[in-house]
Amino acid sequence: MKQTLYLFIAMMAMAQTVTAQNETIVFTPQWTAQAQFAGYYVAEAKGFYREAGVKVRIEHPSATQPAMSRLRNNECQATTLQLCQALEIIDDGIPLVNILQTSMNNAMVIVSARGKDPLTQKGAKVGIWSVGFGQLAICMSIKDHLDYQWVRFAQNVNLFVAGALDATLAMSYNEYYQLVQAGVKMTDKNVYRFCDHGYNVQEDGVYMTREYYIKHKDQARRFAQASRKGWEWAAAHPREALDIVMQYVDKNHIATNRVMQKLMLEDVLRLQVDRESKKREFRLRPDMVQLASRLMVENQMLSREVTYKELIDN
């Protein structure tokens, strides 16, 4: 009787494992198709996910369905988030697990108009993304008593170029190059790089809800390993990786160009190399989690400190 019971339990466990492995991971990057997500496109296009024994479908967000909303509603099982975003979400009561960290450095900058120093523009009208990403800029503005007036924009730099803003936030791999292409002059005086002023907090990582991760650990690890392989291949074969990116861009009808995507890919790959070790580490750094959490608590953006242990498999 006991042997029959043990056999039944073992068969049920095996069936659950097989079911979990056969489930498709719907992966939603936090933005539309672009070189920021090259490694995942490579992993899909080169068959790395298939080789790892995991089924993955990449579905980009829309204006009405942002990535985190899809994760909350179980419309996707994995998404990319900046570290500061992840801290806010956990503080809001949704436990997350970081299964892969790609960014090792912060990419955010402030670009000021008319060649002015952003730190001298107290009360300036500064563009900030409507979907978030500006937590560190808000912390800096409060700390340095700059009293910026934040003006939200969706996805481009038109307000700044048109002269409606005194300055704007930008990512060094994205809006920065849009501004360069628009003819804005970039100098050490009018570009403030957060990573050089005590705000070098990691950004993009891949996250799952802890509930889903606990039930699908093996599948999650296979997905993370194959994604990392995709990024490593992209770093070793940037031209071919760019070809793959452009296929996804064209498929999703994104208004961009190859030059812009090449610049983005080069900068995203640069940001993946840790400043200290000079290596592409693919790990969440405890010190950066602590820095981000402390800054956000001090500026009342978190109700409590979110710890490194809350973000990883433990």
Side-chain angles (χ1 to χ4, degrees):
M1 183 68 179
K2 286 184 178 180
Q3 288 181 337
T4 302
L5 179 60
Y6 292 152
L7 180 60
F8 174 76
I9 293 172
M11 290 176 65
M12 287 296 292
M14 185 179 298
Q16 289 176 352
T17 300
V18 170
T19 299
Q21 290 179 343
N22 287 336
E23 287 184 10
T24 297
I25 291 179
V26 178
F27 168 59
T28 299
Q30 77 255 48
W31 201 238
T32 53
Q34 57 186 20
Q36 181 181 358
F37 313 116
Y40 313 110
Y41 303 151
V42 167
E44 183 180 56
K46 301 296 291 184
F48 297 157
Y49 291 132
R50 184 176 64 254
E51 291 172 4
V54 61
K55 296 180 180 179
V56 177
R57 186 168 71 250
I58 300 174
E59 293 183 356
H60 291 87
S62 66
T64 57
Q65 283 189 313
M68 194 56 212
S69 175
R70 288 175 56 86
L71 192 70
R72 290 173 189 262
N73 297 330
N74 295 316
E75 295 175 46
C76 71
Q77 288 71 50
T79 188
T80 51
L81 294 169
Q82 291 192 3
L83 174 56
C84 289
Q85 285 180 291
L87 297 182
E88 284 185 328
I89 292 164
I90 292 173
D91 185 46
D92 198 37
I94 302 176
L96 298 174
V97 176
N98 176 299
I99 64 170
L100 178 69
Q101 182 66 31
T102 55
S103 159
M104 297 302 294
N105 301 285
N106 195 275
M108 191 164 60
V109 302
I110 296 180
V111 179
S112 288
R114 298 173 290 279
K116 293 184 178 180
D117 182 346
L119 297 183
T120 65
Q121 292 183 291
K122 188 172 182 178
K125 293 180 180 179
V126 181
I128 189 171
W129 300 277
S130 58
V131 291
F133 309 148
Q135 294 90 343
L136 293 180
I138 295 171
C139 289
M140 182 274 277
S141 174
I142 296 172
K143 178 177 178 293
D144 292 345
H145 307 289
L146 293 171
D147 300 322
Y148 285 155
Q149 300 176 50
W150 299 107
V151 179
R152 299 195 175 277
F153 64 86
Q155 57 178 319
N156 56 44
V157 297
N158 289 349
L159 282 175
F160 180 81
V161 173
L165 300 173
D166 301 306
T168 188
L169 296 183
M171 289 298 178
S172 65
Y173 55 80
N174 193 357
E175 294 86 5
Y176 179 91
Y177 288 117
Q178 292 179 31
L179 291 168
V180 171
Q181 288 188 341
V184 177
K185 291 184 178 181
M186 303 294 190
T187 68
D188 291 339
K189 183 178 180 181
N190 75 319
V191 178
Y192 176 98
R193 297 181 183 274
F194 284 81
C195 61
D196 295 334
H197 296 275
Y199 298 95
N200 194 25
V201 171
Q202 290 171 288
E203 294 179 330
D204 287 4
V206 181
Y207 291 83
M208 289 179 167
T209 63
R210 186 165 291 276
E211 179 183 11
Y212 182 86
Y213 176 77
I214 289 172
K215 295 177 180 177
H216 304 83
K217 282 191 177 185
D218 182 63
Q219 186 192 33
R221 288 168 180 166
R222 288 170 184 264
F223 170 60
Q225 289 167 0
S227 297
R228 173 173 176 167
K229 186 176 180 180
W231 277 113
E232 291 171 336
W233 193 94
H237 307 86
R239 180 181 295 179
E240 295 90 337
L242 183 59
D243 290 339
I244 293 172
V245 168
M246 294 311 296
Q247 292 173 15
Y248 283 80
V249 164
D250 293 341
K251 179 181 176 182
N252 287 271
H253 309 291
I254 304 302
T256 184
N257 56 69
R258 189 179 179 89
V259 172
M260 178 66 190
Q261 293 305 311
K262 180 177 183 291
L263 292 168
M264 181 181 291
L265 180 60
E266 290 173 348
D267 205 51
V268 166
L269 292 173
R270 177 187 66 82
L271 292 162
Q272 290 182 355
V273 178
D274 186 83
R275 283 186 167 191
E276 297 174 12
S277 69
K278 310 301 181 185
K279 295 179 181 179
R280 192 167 274 106
E281 297 189 9
F282 297 101
R283 72 179 180 96
L284 192 62
R285 285 182 44 163
D287 59 325
M288 291 198 186
V289 175
Q290 185 178 36
L291 172 61
S293 189
R294 177 177 58 79
L295 287 170
M296 293 174 74
V297 168
E298 287 176 356
N299 291 285
Q300 300 180 343
M301 303 176 79
L302 295 177
S303 64
R304 63 176 181 86
E305 180 181 355
V306 178
T307 66
Y308 171 75
K309 288 185 176 181
E310 291 179 76
L311 287 160
I312 62 170
D313 176 23
N314 50 41

